[in-house]
Amino acid sequence: MPVSTFRAEFLDTVSGLARGAASPGLALFLWLLCVGAAWAGEWLPLANDGIHDPRSRAVKILQQPREALQGLTPDHAGNQVRWVQVLEKGEIRPREKLFPQTVVQKLDLDVILDAKGGMPAVRFPHRPHTEWLDCVNCHDGLFAKSVGQSKISMFKILQGEQCGVCHGAVAFPLTECARCHSIPRPGQSKPVIPAGIDPRIHQAIGQGQK
Amino acid sequence: MKILSKLRASIAVAAVLILSAVMFVDINDAQAEYGDVVINNYSDGAGMRPVVFPHWFHRVRFRCKVCHADLGFKFQAGGNEINMVKIIDGQFCGACHNGDIAWSVENCNLCHSGKPGTPTQVHESTVQKLAQPSGAKK
């Protein structure tokens, strides 16, 4: 039995059990199980992913996501790959430029954005972003180059603006609250700024492929 | 007291059932890989299958900046108004799909591989999931 049918059947069975469950405790337990199963996740074959035409010759030729992604550091959301770590560990070596004259710019600077409304503060790390992106992808269109100028809000993010341009579309999804709201506040109004943040600007010129 | 606790129990059950209903509709639905972009401004009209652009495949080989800074792709599904003249001229997909960096344009089917009628959009996005009731046609 293909894994996908197995999972569908398994979920059907469990949902049946949950519906018939006598106690709310059991139902809750079963439901949590389903959530677990959903999180375990898997990559669908292209032919039944809902956007490829199963009658097209291409679905037999194109690479299946499972084949490309299953060996990489896993995650439970998005592509089910922890892209930052995959790059850091050298599991993939994506090219940084096509043209020899392109200047590759990187920055190692964390910006702490103090969220209102009791959520843990947000740490925006430049380093993993500038590994993938160029400054012009964010400055000065999406964000100003000075802290506090950009009036970032969760409302706009959830509408696909600001951080939500990428997060929720291509970079890890917005359901991962704690990955951004990563600085817990033990009761005080000021966020705890971690020691050892070292703001340095690296300009790696002509570094080429790394 | 007893009535109250029974009431509480049934509310709990109801909550669990509603949540799981939402989950199941979502899980059993076919799901494109996260970040897949369907580009269909002109394809349907021209009798071609819509284009499927897989981010996961390309980001294993290229960083975002290669396409979104150097090659000037805007962050908007369908927003670049790509067409075949531009591609053959070496712009957008044509900067790589030229038989040099990647296979060239004559492999029409590999790009034009989508289900006819699929709208232009980035698939599995959080915004899309929030805006649409789960189970709605993607």
Side-chain angles (χ1 to χ4, degrees), chain A residues 60-83:
Chain A
K60 298 199 190 72
I61 301 171
L62 297 175
Q63 191 180 32
Q64 299 291 341
R66 160 180 295 280
E67 192 193 321
L69 304 178
Q70 69 180 351
L72 306 177
T73 303
D75 195 356
H76 56 262
N79 296 118
Q80 296 158 54
V81 163
R82 192 72 190 250
W83 287 109

Side-chain angles (χ1 to χ4, degrees), chain A residues 7-8 11-12 15 18-19 23-24 27-28 31 34-35 38 43-44 46 48-58 61-65 68-69 72 78-79 83 87 92-99 102 104-106 130-134 136-137 142 157-160 165-175 210, chain B residues 8-10 12-13 15-24 27-38 49-50 52-71 73 75-76 95-96 101 103 107-116 118 121-128 130 138:
Chain A
R7 196 165 67 116
L11 290 171
D12 278 344
S15 75
R19 258 176 238 127
S23 80
L28 182 63
W31 180 70
C34 301
V35 176
W43 299 276
L44 283 180
L46 297 178
N48 40 4
D49 69 358
I51 61 171
H52 285 90
D53 187 344
R55 288 167 309 166
S56 160
R57 209 167 51 89
I61 301 171
L62 297 175
Q63 191 180 32
Q64 299 291 341
L69 304 178
L72 306 177
N79 296 118
W83 287 109
L87 187 61
I92 59 171
R93 304 170 85 229
R95 284 178 70 166
E96 295 193 296
K97 57 178 179 179
L98 291 183
F99 312 121
T102 301
V104 176
Q105 295 178 295
K106 294 187 184 172
T130 53
E131 282 295 334
W132 291 101
L133 295 150
D134 191 76
V136 300
N137 290 133
L142 293 176
I157 294 173
L158 285 165
Q159 288 186 309
V165 169
C166 300
H167 292 283
V170 176
F172 73 81
L174 294 174
T175 43
K210 223 179 62 176
Chain B
R8 209 183 290 139
S10 45
V13 174
V16 167
L17 289 185
I18 291 169
L19 279 172
S20 41
V22 171
M23 295 281 315
F24 291 126
I27 292 166
N28 291 332
D29 227 17
Q31 289 188 354
E33 188 53 35
Y34 186 73
D36 277 2
V37 180
V38 172
R49 291 190 176 95
V52 179
F53 173 80
H55 265 104
W56 60 268
F57 182 94
H58 286 89
R59 73 182 290 188
V60 168
R61 292 161 176 78
F62 302 95
R63 302 188 195 217
C64 327
K65 51 181 121 183
V66 169
C67 292
H68 290 290
D70 272 10
L71 298 179
F73 280 98
F75 288 131
Q76 195 194 345
C96 300
I101 295 171
W103 40 261
N107 302 291
C108 319
N109 283 329
L110 294 186
C111 290
H112 293 274
S113 66
K115 259 190 196 158
T118 312
Q121 62 185 184
V122 51
H123 281 261
E124 294 313 305
S125 76
T126 314
V127 176
Q128 185 191 350
L130 286 174
K138 289 189 187 125

Side-chain angles (χ1 to χ4, degrees), chain A residues 102-177:
Chain A
T102 301
V103 178
V104 176
Q105 295 178 295
K106 294 187 184 172
L107 174 66
D108 191 355
L109 167 68
D110 284 3
V111 177
I112 312 293
L113 302 158
D114 189 4
K116 303 160 285 287
M119 282 298 281
V122 174
R123 181 211 311 259
F124 172 82
H126 269 92
R127 196 182 50 78
H129 284 97
T130 53
E131 282 295 334
W132 291 101
L133 295 150
D134 191 76
C135 317
V136 300
N137 290 133
C138 293
H139 297 301
D140 295 319
L142 293 176
F143 303 107
K145 236 189 222 156
S146 72
V147 172
Q149 286 300 299
S150 308
K151 307 252 180 309
I152 308 173
S153 88
M154 206 57 220
F155 181 69
K156 288 192 190 149
I157 294 173
L158 285 165
Q159 288 186 309
E161 295 169 40
Q162 299 175 333
C163 318
V165 169
C166 300
H167 292 283
V170 176
F172 73 81
L174 294 174
T175 43
E176 300 304 297
C177 316

